[in-house]
Amino acid sequence: MATLSSIVLAAGKGTRMNSPLPKVLHPVAGGAMISRVIQAVRGCGAEEVRVVVGYGEALLRQYLEPQGITCCKQKEQKGTADAVKAADPASMGDHILIMNGDHPLVTSNHLQEAYRKFLENDCELMVLTAELDNPGSFGRIVRHGGSVKAIVESKDASAETKQIKEVNTGIYIVTRNALEKYLLQIHPNNQQGEYYITDMVSLCIEAGEKVVAEISNPAVAFGVNTQKELALASKALFREKAFQLMEAGVMIIDPENTYVEADVEVGPGSILYPGSFIKGRSVLGPFNVVEPNAFIQDSTLGQSVQVRAGSYLEKAKVGDQVVLGPYARLRPETEIGNEARVGNFVEMKKVKFGAKSKANHLAYLGDAEVGENTNIGCGVITCNYAADKKKYLTKIGSNVFVGSDSQMVAPVEIADDAIIASGSTINKNVPAGALAIGRSKQVNKEDYAKKFRGDN
Ligand code: UD1
Ligand code: CA
């Protein structure tokens, strides 16, 4: 079976982005533009992916190489054909898919479909096209009697050619043999003095090779060149995700203002309010309610969880029927048991919080284990960070009542069924069933208030 490789062109500066970041590293709906393209080409079956880099080379290498992507340096930007040459296609697979790194709306489905057509046609070169009402600066597809004859760049086109609405999306599938043979024959005899990969089309045709231009979806042609186009691309992806979730039974009150990233899962019967971001590898079970302006990153939520307004979750694991917030903050390595409550202005970091336990108001729990059915009062703090700059654990058992405004100075353990009196500073272990009071005794001085105010 023939092998498929891919070359992604990303050496350009992206001048019109007016940003110091290399264009293809700008995020689109949460993921770098280039990573969407890479996901698409890998999803199409490309075993090897080479990205042609130039501007911002160091940053691109730092981002891409750990993902097993080979970066090829194009020394000078002399055009798209020169960029392809920089990838050394002679050492790649039998079939090579070439595309621009700045087309984030291309999916593996688009490319799979294209590759299927390429194989079906048994051609040397296939160019993917789209029909646009405003073909703008895209290369135009010139056909004679239905068959493609050439691609003419807008800058080199006559007024008549500019009328053509079928454009080059910049996606090509070509046999390595044809690419090797004709790439060397491309010369920079055009308006911009650049080596155009698009010249492959006419060169192949003149040599009698089979070339096909296949019409695809306009989304495939959508390239990002400006910040405005970047925002439009994100918008399109968030909208598409919202529509997919709605198909699958999720209620989304305002799909234009709900920001769920592509890999996120949300169970049916859930409701998403506007302004929420659900990111990364988050998985939400059925019947969740996510109120406005929640931020949920790489977190797993069971079923019937309520995430009230303004809550912030990172890498948290949440059981079933939990209520979080409003304004709860769950930091990494926090696990919340079934039917637990984490109320407003409660922060947890690296906490195992047992089923049916509650921390309803204004508390900080860090490096702690809390059993089941325990109540953490308002203003409770685990003092986990010691003067030696190390973190220590607080262990609180089940059915414990921790009175308001208490501090647990870790390392410390409070066994099951204990009660901690309000305002206590606990720095010694508390045995099961004990009442611990760690505060100074109150003194009442009769009539002292009057004297103090000087009213006799
Ligand atoms: C190119 C096509 C055009 C097509 C359009 C689709 C050519 C000559 N024209 O035009 O027909 O309609 O894409 O978007 O190919 N790049 C390099 N090195 C270079 C030049 C470009 O890596 O020397 C990269 C850029 O970073 C970019 C891509 O190639 O990702 C396309 O280059 P660009 O100059 O934007 O080509 P277009 O003018 O858009
Ligand atoms: Ca472009």
Side-chain angles (χ1 to χ4, degrees), residues 9-13 23-24 52 74 76-83 100-103 137-140 151-153 155 167-170 172 192 194-198 221 223 225:
L9 307 185
K13 179 166 194 281
K23 175 159 82 177
V24 297
V52 180
Q74 185 192 16
E76 229 184 298
Q77 279 152 49
K78 295 189 285 189
T80 44
D82 182 67
N100 296 350
D102 57 359
H103 283 225
S137 62
F138 283 94
R140 302 299 200 274
I151 299 175
V152 179
E153 287 308 293
K155 285 179 183 126
V167 304
N168 171 23
T169 66
Y172 320 87
Q192 302 187 87
E194 285 186 3
Y195 294 85
Y196 288 171
I197 191 65
T198 47
N225 297 299

Side-chain angles (χ1 to χ4, degrees), residues 147-150 200-211:
S147 307
V148 61
K149 283 285 166 286
M200 279 285 293
V201 171
S202 47
L203 284 168
C204 280
I205 291 168
E206 278 158 28
E209 310 282 11
K210 184 169 180 190
V211 180

